[in-house]
């Protein structure tokens, strides 16, 4: 796979491996993960790192350019950046202020900053604005209260 190109057959096998617990990433597409942030398992923080899984989630969402998307637990923004590329606005709700700072740093130098609305706090307790759909890698600890 020279140059980071993944053939369709290899994509499917990598995607199924990643969904079954393999946390690797495709060559040349390493996820953004700040070295100085330790993830808090008490918040259910399990950062989505595999770009093939991110791409599959965005593709399956069938987003339109007019959509407002709620993302619960954006973490370091791996999914957020792809969502911002496809929709009108992303409302990202993150409970951890450290990750909010990392997300802002990541989006700040891009034209996407105006399309991102960050809510700092617990999504279960938050007063959420209007959104068309939710696309998220749900933190484990809130998956039951959300359903």
């Amino acid at each position: 796979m020279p140059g980071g190109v993944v053939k369709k057959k290899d994509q499917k096998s990598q995607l199924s491996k990643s969904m079954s617990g393999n946390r690797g990433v495709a060559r040349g597409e390493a996820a953004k993960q700040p070295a100085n942030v330790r993830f808090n398992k008490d918040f259910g923080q399990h950062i989505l790192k595999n770009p093939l899984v991110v791409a599959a989630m965005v593709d399956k969402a069938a987003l339109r350019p007019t959509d407002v998307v709620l993302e619960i637990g954006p973490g370091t923004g791996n999914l957020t950046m792809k969502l911002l590329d496809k929709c009108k606005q992303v409302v990202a709700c993150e409970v951890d202020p450290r990750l909010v700072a990392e997300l802002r740093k990541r989006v700040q130098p891009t034209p996407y900053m105006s399309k991102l609305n960050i809510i700092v706090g617990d999504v279960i307790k938050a007063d959420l604005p209007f959104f068309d759909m939710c696309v998220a890698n749900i933190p484990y600890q809130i998956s039951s209260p959300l359903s």
Side-chain angles (χ1 to χ4, degrees):
M1 290 183 288
V5 176
V6 179
K7 293 181 181 174
K8 193 164 193 104
K9 182 179 172 186
D10 294 334
Q11 262 186 337
K12 286 182 181 178
S13 68
Q14 280 187 322
L15 182 57
S16 63
K17 282 180 187 175
S18 67
M19 290 184 155
S20 66
N22 180 343
R23 300 227 187 264
V25 294
R27 185 181 299 176
E29 294 189 36
K32 302 282 183 182
Q33 183 173 330
N36 60 342
V37 175
R38 294 183 69 94
F39 300 113
N40 187 340
K41 300 301 181 201
D42 292 340
F43 287 151
Q45 293 175 339
H46 294 79
I47 302 304
L48 180 56
K49 296 187 273 185
N50 190 316
L52 295 175
V53 174
V54 171
M57 290 174 69
V58 172
D59 287 346
K60 290 191 187 310
L63 297 170
R64 296 171 297 185
T66 56
D67 285 335
V68 175
V69 176
L70 172 66
E71 183 185 11
I72 301 168
T76 58
N78 295 329
L79 177 59
T80 312
M81 296 304 288
K82 296 295 183 189
L83 293 173
L84 287 167
D85 190 44
K86 299 281 186 184
C87 66
K88 178 181 176 182
Q89 183 182 22
V90 173
V91 176
C93 190
E94 175 61 61
V95 73
D96 189 339
R98 300 168 312 142
L99 292 181
V100 169
E102 291 298 325
L103 180 59
R104 282 192 175 123
K105 269 196 276 184
R106 184 168 183 185
V107 177
Q108 196 81 36
T110 72
Y112 295 134
M113 191 62 199
S114 62
K115 294 173 65 173
L116 180 62
N117 174 11
I118 300 174
I119 297 172
V120 183
D122 185 341
V123 71
I124 303 296
K125 298 173 185 171
D127 186 21
L128 298 172
F130 169 83
F131 60 92
D132 296 301
M133 71 172 58
C134 178
V135 180
N137 180 35
I138 305 292
Y140 298 157
Q141 273 67 357
I142 65 166
S143 58
S144 291
L146 279 176
S147 54

